[in-house]
Amino acid sequence: GQQVMQIPQYQHVQEGEDFTTYCNSSTTLSNIQWYKQRPGGHPVFLIQLVKSGEVKKQKRLTFQFGEAKKNSSLHITATQTTDVGTYFCAGFDFRNSGYALNFGKGTSLLVTP
Amino acid sequence: DTGVSQDPRHKITKRGQNVTFRCDPISEHNRLYWYRQTLGQGPEFLTYFQNEAQLEKSRLLSDRFSAERPKGSFSTLEIQRTEQGDSAMYLCASSLVPGGNSPLHFGNGTRLTVT
């Protein structure tokens, strides 16, 4: 079945540094979504990417979807302490997994002031 | 929009007992998902419903797990003969249109501890 892998597992940065997390799928995805989970909280939707090569921005966050629709990345510019949390990518592969949204293990971001 | 509601927030049970969790999705959301999350892991897909129909169930899901959504509104997840390995956070999520096109809204989860 489809698997989603994320690296790195953890990232510790100083406030103001940039951060990037990478997501790779074992199969071609129909679309990919990104979620953020704060410590003690539940996953909260950030964005969805659908088109090959798509790039979307949300303030300091930049999301990319690979040309082959098998990988994605999230880049945060000039991190702030409010960015602390775990970032998950989650992919749909309708052909192999139906409507199951499969999550990666996430990248935990710690930002120190 | 009152969000996805889950009950109880915490459940402690002894091994071998049955437990049942409830999820109330956002009203008018027709799709409902159950996930399980353990520490340091991403949410693991368990099952989902479109209205009252259970359309997909994880192949990894034990026969001890069963879920229902009798009237296409709230859903229940039952675990029979609980084992220590069932200890986890059980998350419910709902979405408005077919999941590939809209975000999942998660509830706060039910944390299960099996002693």
Side-chain angles (χ1 to χ4, degrees), chain A residues 31 35 37 42 48 92 97 101, chain B residues 35 37 56 99-100 104 108:
Chain A
N31 56 61
Y35 290 78
Q37 185 172 24
H42 57 271
Q48 175 172 267
F92 277 105
S97 305
L101 182 63
Chain B
Y35 282 85
Q37 187 176 28
E56 195 156 338
L104 269 58
N108 288 324

Side-chain angles (χ1 to χ4, degrees), chain A residues 38-56:
Chain A
R38 287 199 162 96
H42 57 271
V44 175
F45 174 80
L46 295 176
I47 209 160
Q48 175 172 267
L49 304 170
V50 178
K51 299 176 183 176
S52 169
E54 189 170 12
V55 178
K56 287 188 176 181

